[in-house]
Amino acid sequence: MAASRNRITHKHFRLDAMKIKRAQKVLRAGTKTEAVDRALDLVIAEHEQNRLALEANQRFIASGIEIKDVYGKLAD
C-alpha cells in the first residue's frame, strides 16, 4: 500500500481577525487554527445534513403520498 500523505498543509489566507476571534470564542477553541478547523468541520457537517434532508424529501415526494389538510389551515 502506498504511504498516506499528510493531511495537514500550510495555507496563508487574509481573514477578518474579529471573525476569527469571535469564532474562537464561540467554538471554545484554544487557537485560531483550531477555530478555523472546527468552523470548517461545522460547514461540512451542515452540508451533509442538508444533502440527507433533501434526499429524504425527494423520496417522500416521489412516494406519491397524499397529504390532507384536515384542519383547513392550508387553504387560500
Side-chain angles (χ1 to χ4, degrees):
M1 183 182 338
S4 64
R5 291 183 171 210
N6 188 359
R7 291 176 28 187
I8 306 294
T9 61
H10 293 277
K11 300 291 179 184
H12 300 278
F13 298 103
R14 296 174 61 116
L15 302 171
D16 185 330
M18 290 306 295
K19 286 182 184 179
I20 294 175
K21 281 189 181 251
R22 286 183 65 196
Q24 192 173 357
K25 185 176 180 180
V26 169
L27 298 171
R28 295 183 179 152
T31 65
K32 293 174 184 173
T33 300
E34 185 180 1
V36 171
D37 192 48
R38 286 186 188 182
L40 290 171
D41 286 342
L42 287 171
V43 168
I44 293 166
E46 180 77 16
H47 173 73
E48 182 66 10
Q49 289 173 347
N50 290 343
R51 186 186 64 78
L52 291 172
L54 178 62
E55 285 179 9
N57 190 39
Q58 289 172 340
R59 284 194 312 272
F60 179 75
I61 291 170
S63 72
I65 193 167
E66 184 180 330
I67 301 172
K68 295 181 182 177
D69 182 15
V70 296
Y71 296 108
K73 298 289 184 181
L74 299 177
D76 296 332

